[in-house]
């Protein structure tokens, strides 16, 4: 400690004399400032070295030379002196990725979408001139059964009244149209009419959905 070193300088076996003793006492008095400048371990080592040098008769010619030697001492010990090394940085933990958003629930098809598809496929693939009324009825049922399967809906089941309504709609439209190309547009317009409660109920039963 600084007090022990000071006592040794004053009362040791070989106390330094004169100028050396005075400067070493000044160095001890400046211990706090040197600690801030060099670090406590380094100051302790410097004071011990200076004490040994003073006891052994090493002369220091002046204050400028003493400051120069202190600076050289600090350079030989590196920029951090005898201070502890900086603690090692902990490895960075990568951020946890955000969970993937849940897929949106599948949208149920609407009944009028089936009517639009029936109109398109009927005009492209099925001409009333090439089929009998019974064949057209089977084509009609086959379309809605396939439509249900593609959308994961139960098999087609109609009650007797609904079956009779299908036969009536197909046969009446075959009679009323003047051209084969008008058959599917007229049939689909009647089937998808929201103003006819019977047609609406039939369409919902054909498609298996609950919304037009």
């Amino acid at each position: 400690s600084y007090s022990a070193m000071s006592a040794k300088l004053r009362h040791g076996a070989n106390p330094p004399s004169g100028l050396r003793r005075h400067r070493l006492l000044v160095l001890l008095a400046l211990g706090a400032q040197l600690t801030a400048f060099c670090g406590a371990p380094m100051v302790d080592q410097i004071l011990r070295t200076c004490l040994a040098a003073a006891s052994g008769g090493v002369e220091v010619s002046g204050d400028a030379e003493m400051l120069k030697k202190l600076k050289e001492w600090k350079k030989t010990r590196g920029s951090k002196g005898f201070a502890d090394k900086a603690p090692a940085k902990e490895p960075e933990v990568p951020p946890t990725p955000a969970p993937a958003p849940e897929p949106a629930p599948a949208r149920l098809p609407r009944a009028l979408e089936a009517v639009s598809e029936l109109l398109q496929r009927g005009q492209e693939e099925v001409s009333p001139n090439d089929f009998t009324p019974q064949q057209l009825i089977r084509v009609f049922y086959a379309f809605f059964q396939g439509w249900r399967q593609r959308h994961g809906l139960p098999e087609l089941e109609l009650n007797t009244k609904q079956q009779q309504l299908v036969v009536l709609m197909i046969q009446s439209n075959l009679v009323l149209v003047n051209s084969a190309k008008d058959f599917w547009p007229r049939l689909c317009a009647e089937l998808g009419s929201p103003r006819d409660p019977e047609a609406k109920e039939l369409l919902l039963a054909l498609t298996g959905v609950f919304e037009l």
Side-chain angles (χ1 to χ4, degrees):
S1 66
Y2 302 146
S3 299
M5 290 183 182
S6 178
K8 187 174 182 179
L9 283 173
R10 290 186 177 91
H11 308 294
N14 296 309
S17 59
L19 183 60
R20 291 200 306 276
R21 179 180 179 185
H22 171 70
R23 288 175 178 171
L24 287 172
L25 289 174
V26 171
L27 186 62
L28 288 169
L30 295 176
Q33 290 83 349
L34 287 172
T35 300
F37 178 72
C38 303
M42 181 175 178
V43 171
D44 182 71
Q45 184 67 22
I46 291 173
L47 293 176
R48 292 179 185 278
T49 303
C50 291
L51 178 61
S55 300
V58 178
E59 291 285 349
V60 179
S61 61
D63 293 339
E65 184 177 352
M66 179 181 291
L67 180 60
K68 179 181 178 182
K69 289 183 176 299
L70 287 175
K71 289 181 178 180
E72 290 176 354
W73 180 281
K74 180 174 177 62
K75 288 181 180 180
T76 60
R77 292 297 182 268
S79 59
K80 293 186 178 180
F82 290 93
D84 294 336
K85 294 183 179 180
K89 293 183 179 180
E90 296 183 359
E92 296 183 0
V93 179
T96 304
E102 296 183 0
R107 184 185 69 88
L108 288 176
R110 303 180 64 173
L112 291 179
E113 294 175 5
V115 176
S116 298
E117 186 177 339
L118 174 65
L119 173 61
Q120 179 182 355
R121 295 186 59 184
Q123 288 180 311
E124 294 175 355
E125 303 173 11
V126 182
S127 172
N129 293 333
D130 300 332
F131 295 87
T132 66
Q134 292 298 322
Q135 290 175 330
L136 288 174
I137 292 172
R138 286 197 292 269
V139 168
F140 185 86
Y141 282 139
F143 168 79
F144 282 103
Q145 180 61 41
W147 190 86
R148 279 169 166 261
Q149 290 177 350
R150 283 188 280 113
H151 292 286
L153 297 170
E155 291 188 3
L156 176 61
E157 290 185 8
L158 298 180
N159 57 37
T160 302
K161 180 181 177 181
Q162 292 166 344
Q163 294 175 11
Q164 292 174 349
L165 186 57
V166 169
V167 174
L168 179 61
M169 290 178 64
I170 291 177
Q171 289 182 341
S172 62
N173 279 286
L174 284 172
V175 174
L176 294 174
V177 296
N178 297 321
S179 173
K181 66 180 182 180
D182 297 331
F183 170 76
W184 290 108
R186 184 180 178 92
L187 175 64
C188 291
E190 183 179 358
L191 182 62
S193 174
R195 294 173 294 181
D196 187 342
E198 287 188 342
K200 179 180 178 180
E201 181 182 352
L202 175 61
L203 178 58
L204 296 178
L206 288 166
T207 58
V209 298
F210 303 97
E211 186 178 2
L212 290 178

